[in-house]
Amino acid sequence: MFPDQILQFLLSGLTIGSIYALIALGFTIIYNTTGIINFAQGEFVMLGGMFMVGCTRLLHLPLPVGMLVTIMAVMLVGALIERLAIKPARNKSIVTLIIITIGVSIALKAAVAFFSKDSFTYPPFPGPEHVSIGNASLPGQSLWIMGTAGCIMAALWLFFHFTIRGKAMRACAINREAANIVGIDVEKMSLLSFGLSALIGAIAGIVVTPTTQMAWYRGTELGMKGFCAVILGGLGSSPGAVIGGLLLGLLETFGNYLFSGYRDAIAFSIFLLVIFIRPQGILRRK
Amino acid sequence: MAHLQVQGLHKTFDGITAVNDLYFDVRRNEICAIIGPNGAGKTTTFNLLSGVLPADRGKIFFDGNEILGLPPHDIARRGMVRTFQTVSLFDSMTVLDNVKVGCHGKAGAGLFSAALRTPGLRREEKEITKKAMEALKLLGVADRAYDQAGSLPFGQQRLVDIARALASDPEMILLDEPAAGLNAHETTELASLILALKNRGLTVMIIEHDMELIMEIADSIVVLDQGMKIACGPPADIQKDPRVITAYLGDED
């Protein structure tokens, strides 16, 4: 492998890794606040891409307006899922709630497939078509992806550490019962966590679609990769989600060079390895 | 009107009666102690009052309003807060943030102003920080405000727990065995602290095994045994009550 190639893979790996990191953060926020692993997380990404397709190609809305409409719509979907599917079953076991999210995921896929079973994309966002770094070349959209992911991570960090609402969500994550007893409305926090995760998922979908294609079935794969990243970094850890996502993106990209065509197999092999060897993930103590 | 009225409160677990048809009143601004042997239903009573557990039947009036069946956060916002036997701080957050989160229920700003950190929100945060610091000062742990809550020694964690409960400006505080695990010196300080809370206008309910502490600070005592109230009244009367002596020391026959 030449140094140039390494740089090239590094940049591609970090690009897709940023997307995995965002999806992993979505998982983490809902898990920390409610204890649920939301297997519809990938669907938020798919919906983000598909709504954006509708906004730009069907309605011909300007880019910023389309983004805003898409984000609002996906957040609404997230909030509805929480109110209609999760809240009524809130006193059931966590396993039941997780299975409900799988059902929701299937329903969302079917709903989109009902309108169209085709794959769509839209042009990259404004900017240079390609950026050269050393001898490596990067699509301009990659900068959008990494930049957006970086901004979201920073914004989340500020939210969780410097606002009373964010701190209340962290308190829920640490001890739900104690949070409830000091006056935090845990149900409202649950709704907030679904809204926030949908927001992050939608943005991930919006920025990733121009580099690939979006279709009704893509959410499952993206969601599973995000879940791999969560397990890799350590379930419940936000820095773990980011590191797990980036690492997974890199391992996948380099692994794909060594064993061409086994990209997905690599991701899930890593997943199994972590589960067997270090089930608490990289960043979590036992 | 009594600050808290408990009427016919009843709770069973799998057929075992934990709280049996309980009636008592707590007057405004008094220190009311609940005592009784282990398993008498004291903590269960607190759990029912604070909404942590649902009751089988009965009525609880706080400030004249029925609160039985309301979720815990709602009861906390109405001004009745509590601490647990086992201190449950948010360990990985700072002491100050722990207490600030205790004021969260009263914070009004919505999600979007929270995301944008509007001027109104900044003012609110400032006020909350001020309130939280006051509560920490009252408990004498303000110097630990920026330390991680989990790193504090046990006695101080307990004080932070009480500060967190106080930060939301409650009218009534329920303390579940606050002296457990404290040394003699800390217990004396706790006693003067509880009296200070009373002087600030709070109504205090306390579960405690330390009889010396109870006899010193309580205005009235409710004695439970096997879920039933066997006596209630001022400390001097309770000390002489034969039923209480029997419950504590066993029957002499």
Side-chain angles (χ1 to χ4, degrees):
Chain A
M1 211 187 283
F2 306 108
D4 291 350
Q5 259 180 320
I6 293 181
L7 183 63
Q8 181 70 53
F9 287 139
L10 203 66
L11 292 169
S12 316
L14 288 177
T15 303
I16 189 66
S18 304
I19 294 295
Y20 296 160
L22 287 183
I23 301 170
L25 278 172
F27 273 107
T28 306
I29 289 167
I30 290 182
Y31 175 77
N32 276 346
T33 322
T34 65
I36 300 168
I37 294 168
N38 170 34
F39 281 108
Q41 190 62 36
E43 264 45 75
F44 291 149
V45 184
M46 180 270 288
L47 286 177
M50 293 305 268
F51 277 133
M52 194 63 185
V53 167
C55 287
T56 52
R57 309 251 321 252
L58 229 58
L59 304 173
H60 301 288
L61 294 175
L63 204 59
V65 180
M67 286 179 185
L68 204 64
V69 171
T70 299
I71 290 170
M72 297 302 246
V74 180
M75 281 180 81
L76 183 67
V77 172
L80 286 176
I81 291 172
E82 202 278 340
R83 281 290 111 134
L84 302 179
I86 301 296
K87 195 183 167 207
R90 194 60 250 210
N91 49 4
K92 300 280 191 301
S93 74
I94 288 291
V95 176
T96 309
L97 294 168
I98 292 174
I99 292 170
I100 288 175
T101 69
I102 297 175
V104 166
S105 153
I106 295 170
L108 290 175
K109 276 192 281 189
V112 175
F114 177 77
F115 287 103
S116 173
K117 292 196 183 66
D118 295 329
S119 292
F120 298 93
T121 189
Y122 41 84
F125 300 158
E129 204 170 317
H130 284 279
V131 189
S132 298
I133 300 168
N135 282 326
S137 162
L138 200 62
Q141 186 67 21
S142 287
L143 293 183
W144 275 103
I145 291 176
M146 289 191 271
T148 308
C151 288
I152 290 177
M153 288 166 199
L156 282 177
W157 189 78
L158 289 173
F159 174 68
F160 281 119
H161 288 85
F162 292 97
T163 71
I164 190 86
R165 194 114 330 174
K167 283 171 188 167
M169 277 183 90
R170 272 169 66 211
C172 268
I174 300 168
N175 188 333
R176 213 165 307 157
E177 226 189 14
N180 202 201
I181 208 75
V182 300
I184 296 173
D185 185 344
V186 176
E187 277 189 0
K188 204 160 105 194
M189 289 296 145
S190 167
L191 178 65
L192 189 55
S193 75
F194 271 83
L196 198 53
S197 289
L199 171 110
I200 298 167
I203 294 176
I206 291 171
V207 292
V208 79
T209 301
T211 65
T212 136
Q213 301 249 309
M214 198 48 78
W216 63 277
Y217 60 86
R218 287 286 324 267
T220 309
E221 170 211 330
L222 287 165
M224 289 324 277
K225 294 286 178 66
F227 184 60
C228 287
V230 166
I231 296 301
L232 188 56
L235 185 58
S237 158
S238 301
V242 173
I243 290 171
L246 295 176
L247 198 59
L248 185 70
L250 289 172
L251 289 171
E252 236 188 49
T253 310
F254 281 99
N256 193 47
Y257 171 77
L258 298 173
F259 312 100
S260 181
Y262 284 91
R263 179 181 275 274
D264 295 346
I266 291 162
F268 293 112
S269 306
I270 293 167
F271 173 82
L272 289 176
L273 266 180
V274 173
I275 290 282
F276 289 143
I277 298 168
R278 198 180 157 82
Q280 75 273 31
I282 300 170
L283 280 197
R284 272 187 92 91
R285 276 161 290 156
K286 265 199 180 137
Chain B
M1 183 183 48
H3 201 182
L4 182 79
Q5 294 165 285
V6 175
Q7 297 174 355
L9 196 61
H10 198 85
K11 176 73 183 175
T12 55
F13 294 106
D14 298 324
I16 295 161
T17 305
V19 173
N20 195 348
D21 203 27
L22 191 60
Y23 284 82
F24 68 87
D25 283 1
V26 178
R27 290 189 307 271
R28 194 175 286 276
N29 200 208
E30 75 168 343
I31 298 177
C32 171
I34 297 188
I35 64 169
N38 283 325
K42 304 182 297 287
T43 296
T44 305
T45 304
F46 268 20
N47 285 340
L48 296 173
L49 292 177
S50 56
V52 174
L53 278 178
D56 297 343
R57 57 173 189 268
K59 283 191 162 70
I60 302 169
F61 293 98
F62 178 61
D63 253 346
N65 299 312
E66 167 92 79
I67 57 163
L68 190 68
L70 295 178
H73 69 88
D74 203 344
I75 293 174
R77 285 176 200 191
R78 285 163 185 255
M80 188 205 282
V81 296
R82 73 170 287 187
T83 64
F84 286 89
Q85 259 174 55
T86 46
V87 175
S88 51
L89 295 181
F90 308 121
D91 282 347
S92 55
M93 291 166 63
T94 66
V95 166
L96 181 61
D97 280 349
N98 262 275
V99 180
K100 282 168 77 172
V101 162
C103 314
H104 168 267
K106 300 243 162 126
L111 172 61
F112 281 98
S113 57
L116 303 171
R117 285 177 67 75
T118 56
L121 188 82
R122 267 166 218 245
R123 210 174 315 119
E124 185 186 87
E125 283 248 9
K126 243 187 203 158
E127 263 166 42
I128 287 175
T129 308
K130 206 175 123 211
K131 244 187 208 162
M133 281 309 283
E134 272 168 21
L136 286 172
K137 269 187 204 133
L138 180 69
L139 276 285
V141 281
D143 55 324
R144 306 303 300 264
Y146 295 98
D147 294 331
Q148 273 214 342
S151 72
L152 265 56
F154 179 78
Q156 287 190 329
Q157 289 201 17
R158 177 143 269 157
L159 295 174
V160 175
D161 196 15
I162 299 175
R164 184 177 61 183
L166 288 176
S168 61
D169 280 336
E171 293 174 24
M172 180 183 275
I173 183 165
L174 314 183
L175 302 168
D176 195 347
E177 293 196 29
L182 299 189
N183 61 36
H185 172 68
E186 286 172 326
T187 306
T188 316
E189 288 196 337
L190 180 74
S192 51
L193 172 79
I194 294 171
L195 289 170
L197 295 182
K198 184 188 167 187
N199 284 336
R200 289 168 79 98
L202 265 84
T203 309
V204 181
M205 281 188 78
I206 177 169
I207 294 175
E208 192 46 66
H209 285 296
D210 186 334
M211 280 310 136
E212 218 175 304
L213 174 69
I214 291 299
M215 294 305 163
E216 185 189 326
I217 63 171
D219 299 304
S220 69
I221 297 179
V222 176
V223 188
L224 298 185
D225 188 27
Q226 294 174 21
M228 276 188 286
K229 183 176 82 176
I230 58 169
C232 74
D237 295 358
I238 295 295
Q239 270 173 314
K240 285 178 273 177
D241 196 305
R243 283 166 303 176
V244 178
I245 295 164
T246 310
Y248 267 89
L249 303 176
D251 236 320
E252 298 264 334
D253 313 324

